[in-house]
Amino acid sequence: MPRALIIVLDSVGIGGAEDASDYGDAGADTVGHIAEACRDGRGDRDGLRQGPLHLPHLVSLGLGLACQASTGRIPPGLELEGALKGAWGYGVETSRGKDTPSGHWEIAGVPVDFDWGYFPNTVPSFPTALTDALVARGQLPGILGNKHASGTDIIDECGAEHVRSGKPICYTSVDSVLQIAAHEETFGLQRLYALCAIARDLCDPLNIGRVIARPFIGTAEGGFRRTGNRKDFATQPPADTFLDRLATEGRAIVTVGKIGDIFAHRSTGREIKPNGNEACLTAAIDAMGTLADGGLVFANLVDFDSEFGHRRDIPGYAAALEAFDRRVPEIAAALRAGDLAIITADHGNDPTWHGTDHTREHTPILCFGPGIAPGPIGRRESFADIGAKTLAHLGLRQSAKAALWP
C-alpha cells in the first residue's frame, strides 16, 4: 500500500497572489527576490554563503518552472538544465488571511472561509478586558509590550524589565495572534505555557487564530535569545481535515515540527518536535523508515519563516534553502515503490519586503517518488488540492471541494 510525505517549507512563497494588493503585498516574491538578491551580491555573508542561489535538486523537481508559471519569469539561477525529475505546479490560497493555520488547514482540506480576529496597530493593542483578565487569572504584576512588534526587537526592548519585574511581554502583529515572551529561567517555561493556555481561552471569543509562547534566555548584559521551546496554542480547525480522515481509517500518522500545534493536536498521531529545520527534516526522513503502509508523515520546517523571513535576513534565508536542497536526495532515498512526496509551502515571507510580516503569495507544489511521472500539474486553485491528492494516493476518497491532478 502506498505512503505519503508532505514537507511544508514554512513561508517559501513563489510570487504575489492575485489578491496580494489587498494585503499590501503586490509584487512580493520570496524565492524570486532571494534569487535576485543573491545574483546581485546581497545574499552574500562571510562564513555563511556566497554567490548565486544554488538549488539544483529543487530545480530538477520543477521549482524554477513553478516560479515561472506563477510570476512569468524564472528566477536567476533556477533554470532547468538537466532532466526533470518531479511533477510541478503552484498553489493559490483561497483562505482569508496569510498566516500559518490558514495555509496548513487549507492544505489539509479545510480552507478558512471566515474572518479571523485581529488586534489593532495601536498602543495599547489589546482590549483592556483581555489584559485585565490575563493579569488576574495568571496572577501577574502586569504585562509589558502591548503592541505590534518584532519578536526579537521587543525582547531586546523589554527583556531586562521583564526579568526585573516578572511582567511577561505581550505583543502581536498583522496576523491573528497573541504572542507572550518570557524568560525560561526567571519566569519559568511551564508557567509560560500555563499562561498561554489562559490566553487561549480568553482569545477564543475574539476569534484569534493562535497564542504563541516565546521563551527566551540570557541577560541584559550578554543579550537575550529565543529558545527552541516555542509552543503554539491554535484554535481548533472548523471542520474535519485529512488528518481526521486518516485517523478515522486507522492510518499511521506522524507529524513533525509545529504541525501538532497548528492542528490543536487533533488527529496528529505521533508528534515529533525537534528544534530547527535540520532536526525536523531528519525526524521526517527517519519516520519514513518505519512508517506503516497507507501512512502519512506531515512535517513543517519553520526556520525559513521564524529565523529568516520575519527577520528580513536574505543571506540566512538563502543559506537555509540551499541546506534543504542538499538533503533532497536523502528524502528521495527514503521513498519506496508507490510512495508520494510533496514539497510545498503555506504562505510567503519575502525577506526583501517592507515590514516583518508574512506576504500573500502562491506556493510551490513539487511532487516526486518512484513511479511519479515528471511534468506540469498546473495552477491549483486551492491548497486543498494537496490534501485531496494525498488522500487519493493513499486510496481514500477525496473531498468534492478539491481537484486532483494526474
Side-chain angles (χ1 to χ4, degrees):
M1 185 181 295
R3 309 176 304 164
L5 167 65
I6 299 175
I7 300 175
V8 180
L9 310 184
D10 203 306
S11 86
V12 181
I14 57 169
E18 287 73 14
D19 59 357
S21 60
D22 295 342
Y23 298 85
D25 294 332
D29 181 0
T30 299
V31 171
H33 287 163
I34 291 171
E36 291 170 358
C38 290
R39 176 198 61 195
D40 298 339
R42 291 177 290 128
D44 294 350
R45 180 177 295 159
D46 289 344
L48 180 65
R49 68 164 312 280
Q50 301 286 326
L53 187 64
H54 186 60
L55 305 174
H57 301 296
L58 289 170
V59 167
S60 74
L61 295 176
L63 177 61
L65 297 172
C67 292
Q68 182 181 38
S70 170
T71 67
R73 70 188 189 283
I74 297 180
L78 302 192
E79 299 85 0
L80 180 65
E81 296 181 352
L84 180 66
K85 299 179 180 178
W88 58 270
Y90 69 94
V92 180
E93 186 170 12
T94 64
S95 294
R96 302 181 191 180
K98 53 179 181 177
D99 198 12
T100 297
S102 301
H104 282 77
W105 291 357
E106 186 166 336
I107 288 170
V110 183
V112 173
D113 60 0
F114 56 86
D115 289 321
W116 294 107
Y118 299 92
F119 296 114
N121 192 3
T122 57
V123 180
S125 286
F126 304 120
T128 301
L130 171 64
T131 54
D132 285 352
L134 185 66
V135 167
R137 290 177 57 180
Q139 299 181 350
L140 304 171
I143 65 169
L144 302 172
N146 202 345
K147 61 183 179 180
H148 282 231
S150 156
T152 52
D153 290 347
I154 202 164
I155 290 172
D156 288 340
E157 175 188 339
C158 300
E161 176 62 15
H162 159 71
V163 171
R164 187 197 66 78
S165 67
K167 299 176 181 179
I169 305 167
C170 300
Y171 62 103
T172 187
S173 69
V174 298
D175 296 320
S176 181
V177 64
L178 166 58
Q179 305 197 64
I180 306 179
H183 199 285
E184 283 195 6
E185 296 162 353
T186 63
F187 191 87
L189 184 60
Q190 296 307 315
R191 185 184 177 199
L192 173 59
Y193 290 163
L195 182 63
C196 287
I198 293 170
R200 173 69 272 165
D201 182 54
L202 295 173
C203 284
D204 282 344
L206 305 176
N207 204 27
I208 300 302
R210 286 183 296 165
V211 174
I212 305 178
R214 291 287 196 177
F216 63 94
I217 58 174
T219 63
E221 296 75 21
F224 297 110
R225 64 175 181 84
R226 297 196 296 200
T227 74
N229 292 320
R230 162 185 171 158
K231 185 175 177 64
D232 293 36
F233 295 75
T235 189
Q236 291 273 343
D240 283 350
T241 69
F242 74 160
L243 293 173
D244 294 308
R245 177 70 189 285
L246 289 168
T248 298
E249 296 289 335
R251 300 295 182 89
I253 301 169
V254 181
T255 52
V256 182
K258 66 176 186 176
I259 296 293
D261 290 350
I262 294 167
F263 288 88
H265 309 284
R266 192 176 85 197
S267 300
T268 46
R270 180 165 70 95
E271 296 185 8
I272 309 171
K273 196 176 182 183
N275 181 25
N277 278 2
E278 291 289 336
C280 284
L281 183 54
T282 295
I285 292 171
D286 288 348
M288 289 299 292
T290 57
L291 184 69
D293 287 350
L296 169 70
V297 174
F298 191 10
N300 171 282
L301 305 186
V302 72
D303 286 359
F304 299 108
D305 185 58
S306 62
E307 297 299 313
F308 310 114
H310 286 301
R311 300 187 189 190
R312 297 301 187 249
D313 181 352
I314 298 170
Y317 207 132
L321 286 169
E322 291 169 339
F324 175 78
D325 184 85
R326 288 191 291 271
R327 300 193 65 185
V328 169
E330 290 181 57
I331 301 170
L335 305 177
R336 66 190 191 201
D339 287 351
L340 169 67
I342 300 177
I343 296 172
T344 188
D346 54 342
H347 50 70
N349 200 343
D350 187 341
T352 73
W353 207 242
H354 54 79
T356 60
D357 298 309
H358 296 152
T359 42
R360 178 78 165 184
E361 297 185 45
H362 297 147
T363 60
I365 303 175
L366 309 177
C367 312
F368 60 103
I372 304 299
I377 62 172
R379 171 189 168 101
R380 312 314 305 177
E381 297 296 340
S382 171
F383 294 178
D385 289 6
I386 296 169
K389 177 65 176 180
T390 302
L391 288 177
H393 183 81
L394 297 178
L396 299 175
R397 183 175 57 83
Q398 70 277 7
S399 167
K401 296 180 181 179
L404 293 180
W405 60 82

